[in-house]
Amino acid sequence: MIDQKIIETLNNYTELDNYLIKNCVPKIFLVCGHSINHLTLGKYFDNMKSRIDIEVIKFSDFQPNPSYDSIVNGVNKFIESQANTIIAVGGGSAIDVAKCIKIYSNMDHSKNYLQQKIVPNSIHLIAIPTTAGTGSEATRYAVIYYNGEKQSISDFSCIPSLVMLDPTVLKTLPLFQKKATMLDALCHSLESFWSVNSTAESLKSSEAALRIILSNISDYLNNSDTGNANMMRASYIAGKAINITQTTAGHAMCYKLTKMYDIPHGYAAALVNTELWPWMIANSERCCDKRGSKHLLGCFEKISEIFNTSSPCDAAKLFQNIVNSLNMPVISAKTEADIDILQASVNPVRLKNNPIKLETDDISYIYKRILKITDRN
Ligand SMILES: [Fe+2]
């Protein structure tokens, strides 16, 4: 397991300068979205050469939900640059692109990277998240799209060795994005909690993240410095939790919703969990976690205690109320065929982390609830 170094700062990057100087970094390959230009961080990298004599080669040629082709382009640019350090500044997409560039850069460039074995390399990877939600800075996962289809990449060698958390970057983040990314962190904490892969360590992280998120929602949405700092820390801790457990059905079922209804990832995951969670409480006797249904019920009880509610059902209801209170766009199915498309899209491997096995009918039922389709017969 990689031991990550964390720098927590407020708009002051002297510690990062010192780290780069100490590690004799001559050149940086900077993977970032265009939003960096509106941040102090943008200026920080712009004058790095004159300030501490480190050359910066910028790569921004990718979109949210990055395509495999844009990553191949990034790998070529990175090799051309002859840099040995990658810094990712951005949300999940920028960090995921940087992870893939790192792991693909020592592969056979004449073959498809997705079909090759990952061999760890010594390229430095540093992550500076500009949203509080994906937790990608703490995980071994990256999500990219090959011919439009989602691909999950997972390898311990792509966990950034240094993470810099600077909550001042959240000050100018649009409210809609703040809401959606917060929901992502909230879903990571919840799903990690009930995942069949949970450990004492992951449960500690899930609980810590959940407590911080729940007590900072309004401060964070009101853009207070404390609220932003706490949410950024919570997102990172939730990332550490899913790095151990992976996500569950909430995430496995959300990807196609994002694509079909053009809604943000975190909101799509929250929509699934608003229906999945009460369904799991009602079906807890079907628990497939090897620790048994008693363990799962214990998790639900513990989450209820953290939510400060009197029962697991009330906690799930409160979660639903939190999601509703954010006034995100309401989605509805165009036709009943949507349910079949959604149901067929779910990756069964990802469902294996869920504590209750979902059959095809269960998946359809949950999608119908999300899309407010009622069975007529
Ligand atoms: Fe997520």
Side-chain angles (χ1 to χ4, degrees), residues 72-88:
V72 172
N73 183 27
V75 173
N76 294 339
K77 296 265 164 62
F78 173 66
I79 291 167
E80 246 173 63
S81 75
Q82 296 184 317
N84 71 344
T85 298
I86 303 172
I87 300 187

Side-chain angles (χ1 to χ4, degrees), residues 161-216:
S161 50
L162 171 68
V163 174
M164 187 172 83
L165 300 178
D166 174 14
T168 62
V169 299
L170 301 176
K171 273 280 182 201
T172 50
L173 190 66
L175 185 60
F176 181 72
Q177 258 177 285
K178 285 190 85 171
K179 290 176 180 177
T181 45
M182 175 188 77
L183 288 174
D184 196 18
L186 186 49
C187 290
H188 293 161
S189 322
L190 285 170
E191 291 182 43
S192 182
F193 221 118
W194 61 56
S195 166
V196 298
N197 303 319
S198 71
T199 62
E201 190 189 343
S202 74
L203 286 167
K204 210 170 135 195
S205 294
S206 310
E207 178 175 348
L210 256 188
R211 286 192 190 279
I212 301 172
I213 294 169
L214 292 173
S215 51
N216 283 278

Side-chain angles (χ1 to χ4, degrees), residues 6-112:
I6 306 294
I7 295 176
E8 290 195 78
T9 185
L10 284 173
N11 227 359
N12 179 326
Y13 309 126
T14 314
E15 206 179 333
L16 180 58
D17 269 356
N18 292 341
Y19 176 90
L20 297 170
I21 294 165
K22 193 177 149 209
N23 285 281
C24 304
V25 174
K27 217 181 253 185
I28 282 166
F29 191 73
L30 179 65
V31 178
C32 58
H34 296 289
S35 61
I36 194 173
N37 300 322
H38 309 294
L39 301 171
T40 312
L41 267 172
K43 291 184 199 83
Y44 167 78
F45 285 107
D46 282 347
N47 63 30
M48 192 166 246
K49 178 75 183 161
S50 58
R51 204 180 60 250
I52 51 173
D53 199 27
I54 294 177
E55 195 183 332
V56 178
I57 294 106
K58 211 188 257 188
F59 177 71
S60 300
D61 204 2
F62 60 91
Q63 303 294 326
N65 304 318
S67 70
Y68 173 80
D69 293 342
S70 66
I71 285 154
V72 172
N73 183 27
V75 173
N76 294 339
K77 296 265 164 62
F78 173 66
I79 291 167
E80 246 173 63
S81 75
Q82 296 184 317
N84 71 344
T85 298
I86 303 172
I87 300 187
V89 178
S93 296
I95 299 175
D96 287 1
V97 167
K99 286 176 174 176
C100 291
I101 292 174
K102 173 186 156 89
I103 56 182
Y104 292 165
S105 61
N106 67 337
M107 287 186 180
D108 182 341
H109 306 300
S110 65
K111 294 181 185 151
N112 188 316

Side-chain angles (χ1 to χ4, degrees), residues 72-336:
V72 172
N73 183 27
V75 173
N76 294 339
K77 296 265 164 62
F78 173 66
I79 291 167
E80 246 173 63
S81 75
Q82 296 184 317
N84 71 344
T85 298
I86 303 172
I87 300 187
V89 178
S93 296
I95 299 175
D96 287 1
V97 167
K99 286 176 174 176
C100 291
I101 292 174
K102 173 186 156 89
I103 56 182
Y104 292 165
S105 61
N106 67 337
M107 287 186 180
D108 182 341
H109 306 300
S110 65
K111 294 181 185 151
N112 188 316
Y113 298 128
L114 292 166
Q115 288 160 4
Q116 299 180 51
K117 191 175 177 297
I118 297 169
V119 179
N121 62 47
S122 59
I123 295 158
H124 286 125
L125 177 60
I126 297 169
I128 306 175
T130 56
T131 62
T134 71
S136 181
E137 69 277 10
T139 75
R140 62 193 142 113
Y141 317 116
V143 174
I144 61 167
Y145 289 79
Y146 183 71
N147 290 337
E149 290 305 314
K150 181 180 160 284
Q151 308 288 324
S152 296
I153 288 95
S154 172
D155 195 77
F156 282 102
S157 72
C158 73
I159 298 177
S161 50
L162 171 68
V163 174
M164 187 172 83
L165 300 178
D166 174 14
T168 62
V169 299
L170 301 176
K171 273 280 182 201
T172 50
L173 190 66
L175 185 60
F176 181 72
Q177 258 177 285
K178 285 190 85 171
K179 290 176 180 177
T181 45
M182 175 188 77
L183 288 174
D184 196 18
L186 186 49
C187 290
H188 293 161
S189 322
L190 285 170
E191 291 182 43
S192 182
F193 221 118
W194 61 56
S195 166
V196 298
N197 303 319
S198 71
T199 62
E201 190 189 343
S202 74
L203 286 167
K204 210 170 135 195
S205 294
S206 310
E207 178 175 348
L210 256 188
R211 286 192 190 279
I212 301 172
I213 294 169
L214 292 173
S215 51
N216 283 278
I217 294 176
S218 55
D219 283 349
Y220 164 75
L221 295 178
N222 288 326
N223 227 356
S224 89
D225 293 341
T226 317
N228 285 341
N230 286 335
M231 199 58 76
M232 184 154 260
R233 194 174 300 124
S235 162
Y236 172 70
I237 299 169
K240 280 172 82 78
I242 56 163
N243 188 46
I244 296 171
T245 61
Q246 300 180 279
T247 50
T248 64
H251 268 64
M253 292 177 63
C254 83
Y255 289 99
K256 200 72 177 179
L257 281 177
T258 294
K259 222 171 164 187
M260 279 174 72
Y261 302 101
D262 196 22
I263 54 171
H265 163 76
Y267 175 46
L271 282 177
V272 177
N273 282 318
T274 55
E275 297 300 337
L276 175 74
W277 186 359
W279 177 86
M280 289 202 299
I281 294 170
N283 290 278
S284 54
E285 77 288 349
R286 287 169 52 189
C287 176
C288 56
D289 188 313
K290 56 183 183 307
R291 293 164 289 193
S293 55
K294 205 172 157 201
H295 164 82
L296 180 61
L297 289 170
C299 287
F300 289 150
E301 286 291 347
K302 185 70 193 172
I303 297 173
S304 171
E305 183 204 311
I306 297 165
F307 269 70
N308 204 15
T309 51
S310 52
S311 73
C313 288
D314 286 350
K317 186 79 204 151
L318 179 55
F319 173 70
Q320 217 165 45
N321 291 342
I322 291 170
V323 178
N324 291 340
S325 72
L326 297 174
N327 292 318
M328 301 295 272
V330 175
I331 57 164
S332 55
K334 291 169 190 89
T335 70
E336 284 210 27

